[in-house]
Every structure is written in C-alpha cells, then in structure tokens.
Amino acid sequence: MWRRIFSRGDKAFEIPAANSPLFERIDWERLPRHVAIIMDGNGRWAKGQGLLRTAGHTAGVKTLKNILKTAIGLKLDALTVYAFSTENWKRPATEVDFLMGLFSEYLKKELMEMHEDNVRIHFIGRIGELSPGLMRQMHEAEELMQGNTGVKFNVAVNYGGQDELLRAVRSLAREAAEGKVAPETIDAALIESHLDTAGNLPVDLVIRTSGDERLSNFLLWQSAYAEFYFTPINWPEFTPEDFVTAMIDFAGRDRRFGGLTNQ
C-alpha cells in the first residue's frame, strides 16, 4: 500500500511499498545499510534554467523529500546528507542567509510529517555556531523524534570531516589529561564514539551528484570502506529512480574490505 506524503508541483510522491514497481530490480539482501549523499549541483541546475542559485537550493529541498521517502521505503538504517559544510561560509552572505532560512523553513513544514514517518533526525557538525533560533529548532526536532525507530536521518550542517576528527581528538585528549582514558586504550571504537555520527553504522555507499568525483571533506572516517557512486545528474533532477539505480549498482559490487573474495 502506498501513502501520499507530499506534493512536488501538482504531482504527488508516495512512499513505495516493497512490491512497488520502483523496487522490482532491488536485491533486498544486498542493500547498503547507511547511505551518504553529497547533494551537489543546485547552483549549476539553476544556472542552466536561467534562474538564481537560490531557486536551485529550493528545488534541491524538494528532491531531498523524495529521496528520504524512498529511503524509508527501502528500510535503510541511515541516510546522511551534506547540507552545509564548514567551507560554505565562504559563499556570498546573501546565499548563506538564504540557506539558513531554508533550513528553518524545512523544519517548520516537514517536522511533523517526518515524525509521523518514524524518522529520527539528527544534526551533525558545529551546530553551536548557528543562530539561536535555528539551533532551537534543530534541538526541538531531535527531541521530538528521538524515540522513533525508522530511518536515521543525519543532516550535516556547518560540518567538515577534518573538523569532526579534530574535535574528537581534542575531546579524547582532555579525557586522557583528566585521567578518564588511558592513551593505550584508545581504539577505533572509542574514536567512533566521539564522532558526530556515534551510534550509526559505517557508511556503505556515498553518492555524489553533478559530476565531481571527490569527498569534499565529508565523513572521512565513516567512509573508510564505503563504495562510491558518482553521477552527472544535478541534485534537483536526481529522482527516486536514480537513487534506486545507485542501490542496484551497489548490489553488484564485490566488497572485500581488504581481503579476498570467497570462492
């Protein structure tokens, strides 16, 4: 059974059930558990349409709704998206202000719907450097959905992978200086517990839209053994069908994690 979730223009998109035609080629035994997306190409899409960059960001939010709902239908464990990096502050102030307003508007409009869909939202990055109003909205959203058991929806805002690792190392250094942690006991699991994504599974698949083929300082530790899927499609034009194509491509990969394929 399909359920209407939101409208994109005058066309409604619905959470697909397991037997949906959208999923007919899915290998349910070989799906990634944690998918991360670098949502690139909003500005390029807008330029190609003769529109302002802000129009691209607005269109990108609509795409994100579609992909989150598709992830729900696929029953993924986690979806992590790169919404705003620590380097994005270099953009014009008008664009940064627009993006911050867009985050706020997204939470106002989509909060209860995500909650009803059993999504658990979590914001990662230097959230404490955002405006008090936006921080309050983010905190309230996390509080509302903290008991949900569906897709973990991690939104990276004011996030950088190197910065995250630096913060984790400094935190561990303080604990060591205070005698709470013995340096020789620091292992990968302890480092992971100090990352913004603590409690999440490692990233299985990183998707980047719009043609560039790099991580751009996103989830550096978490993506150590991730598969990568690059597409020239700009984010506003990335569809659920494109997302499913990435899932099918992932299912065909031979993941050895440094070992050899079992014969």
Side-chain angles (χ1 to χ4, degrees):
M1 181 177 180
W2 290 42
R3 180 160 59 87
R4 180 171 181 170
I5 54 168
F6 69 93
S7 294
R8 181 170 184 171
D10 57 1
K11 183 180 180 181
F13 183 78
E14 301 173 328
I15 295 178
N19 62 353
S20 162
L22 179 63
F23 295 156
E24 62 184 1
R25 295 192 296 140
I26 286 288
D27 183 345
W28 293 94
E29 300 300 318
R30 294 179 62 84
L31 281 175
R33 298 165 300 170
H34 185 173
V35 176
I37 305 180
I38 301 173
M39 306 178 292
D40 199 13
N42 289 340
R44 295 174 203 176
W45 176 84
K47 183 178 180 181
Q49 301 291 316
L51 302 171
L52 296 175
R53 287 178 58 85
T54 51
H57 296 312
T58 301
V61 167
K62 294 180 180 179
T63 294
L64 179 57
K65 293 179 184 179
N66 282 347
I67 300 308
L68 175 58
K69 301 309 181 178
T70 307
I72 294 169
L74 289 166
K75 300 187 185 304
L76 300 185
D77 184 80
L79 177 69
T80 302
V81 298
Y82 209 3
F84 190 88
S85 76
T86 48
E87 290 74 38
N88 285 156
W89 295 105
K90 300 173 185 177
R91 295 185 177 186
T94 52
E95 183 172 348
V96 170
D97 289 345
F98 180 85
L99 285 168
M100 294 302 160
L102 193 61
F103 297 152
S104 177
E105 192 65 21
Y106 177 81
L107 287 175
K108 287 177 184 176
K109 290 185 175 181
E110 307 301 328
L111 181 66
M112 293 310 301
E113 189 171 12
M114 286 190 287
H115 183 42
E116 291 168 2
D117 287 337
N118 200 29
V119 170
R120 184 168 69 185
I121 198 168
H122 178 56
F123 296 93
I124 64 174
R126 288 181 171 269
I127 307 304
E129 296 177 357
L130 304 177
S131 70
L134 186 54
M135 282 193 294
R136 183 174 60 254
Q137 281 185 278
M138 291 177 170
H139 177 71
E140 289 173 352
E142 290 180 335
E143 287 279 302
L144 176 67
M145 291 181 249
Q146 65 179 349
N148 291 348
T149 58
V151 173
K152 298 172 185 174
F153 183 37
N154 304 306
V155 183
V157 183
N158 196 20
Y159 173 89
Q162 291 179 330
D163 176 75
E164 177 188 34
L165 289 169
L166 281 172
R167 288 186 281 112
V169 169
R170 288 169 180 165
S171 178
L172 283 167
R174 285 193 296 270
E175 292 177 16
E178 294 168 358
K180 297 178 180 178
V181 174
E184 62 271 16
T185 67
I186 297 175
D187 57 11
L190 189 57
I191 292 173
E192 287 173 1
S193 72
H194 286 67
L195 297 177
D196 295 348
T197 53
N200 284 267
L201 295 169
V203 174
D204 292 311
L205 175 65
V206 176
I207 298 171
R208 181 165 187 155
T209 58
S210 198
D212 288 335
E213 299 183 0
R214 55 178 178 269
L215 266 177
S216 294
N217 201 19
F218 184 48
L219 301 180
L220 301 179
W221 176 282
Q222 299 88 337
S223 300
Y225 276 98
E227 300 293 322
F228 293 86
Y229 182 86
F230 301 110
T231 173
I233 301 170
N234 289 321
W235 178 247
E237 294 180 320
F238 190 74
T239 67
E241 290 79 9
D242 295 319
F243 189 60
V244 168
T245 296
M247 303 299 105
I248 295 168
D249 181 87
F250 174 87
R253 306 283 181 96
D254 182 14
R255 306 191 75 207
R256 299 185 299 275
F257 299 97
L260 298 176
T261 303
N262 291 326
Q263 299 296 326

